[in-house]
Amino acid sequence: PKTLPFWERPVPAGGFNLTDAGNAERLVQRHGADLRYNSAFGWLVWDGKRWEKDATGELTRRVLDTVRAIYGEAASVEHRGARLLSKRAELLATLGTFAEGGDRSQTATDRDAVNKQADALASDAARQGKHGAALRNHAKASEAAARLTAAVSIAQALPGVY
């Protein structure tokens, strides 16, 4: 079977690793259609008409764009966590309605089931929050010159650009 170019492959389940290799994969996923590495010429960039040797720092701009997009990943994860907490609050509000006499048919088993659901939502939201914080920390660390250089170095060997 034909292997898809790296930039056409779906993002791995669970996202990319929070490593230089993960950043290299992000770079190829995000910009691989316009980047090539050739051991004789170095990095080439598609200008819309032809492949040109990167003499303007385009690769650096692309890897920096890729790393800064991790902040967007973090925001998305944190937003999912906030939505889970909102669902939890709505769920717990139903318990208040029951307690005020809104539904006399509710049993202790029903209340326990709602509380169990609410606890699961809180746990999932906490995981999302921790993952969002880890993404933010990784993004900040990845903006260092050494981390950017490492991602570019690893990307040279990835399918799709080499």
Side-chain angles (χ1 to χ4, degrees):
K2 182 181 175 191
T3 302
L4 289 174
F6 211 85
W7 61 88
E8 290 182 8
R9 296 179 194 168
V11 173
F16 294 104
N17 289 333
L18 304 184
T19 62
D20 295 334
N23 288 349
E25 292 172 337
R26 282 180 176 88
L27 172 64
V28 175
Q29 179 80 31
R30 192 171 176 89
H31 296 289
D34 296 328
L35 298 172
R36 292 291 179 274
Y37 181 77
N38 179 289
S39 58
F41 298 107
W43 282 97
L44 304 171
V45 179
W46 182 252
D47 71 1
K49 296 179 184 175
R50 62 190 163 279
W51 292 101
E52 289 195 355
K53 186 167 174 42
D54 182 23
T56 66
E58 183 63 22
L59 176 65
T60 301
R61 286 187 290 280
R62 302 267 182 126
V63 72
L64 193 54
D65 169 74
T66 298
V67 164
R68 288 186 173 157
I70 299 170
Y71 291 108
E73 290 179 49
S76 178
V77 166
E78 291 164 346
H79 182 70
R80 281 195 301 271
R83 282 195 324 248
L84 289 171
L85 288 177
S86 178
K87 286 181 184 179
R88 178 181 183 268
E90 291 171 14
L91 188 62
L92 290 175
T94 64
L95 287 178
T97 301
F98 293 139
E100 294 167 5
D103 185 351
R104 303 255 182 231
S105 67
Q106 184 192 32
T107 65
T109 304
D110 294 331
R111 286 189 300 275
D112 288 345
V114 168
N115 279 322
K116 191 173 185 175
Q117 266 187 296
D119 289 347
L121 288 169
S123 178
D124 288 347
R127 271 194 299 281
Q128 295 292 324
K130 287 179 184 176
H131 185 57
L135 281 164
R136 284 190 185 286
N137 290 336
H138 176 69
K140 185 174 182 180
S142 295
E143 288 189 73
R147 302 285 47 93
L148 295 170
T149 301
V152 167
S153 178
I154 293 166
Q156 291 176 168
L158 292 179
V161 295
Y162 182 73

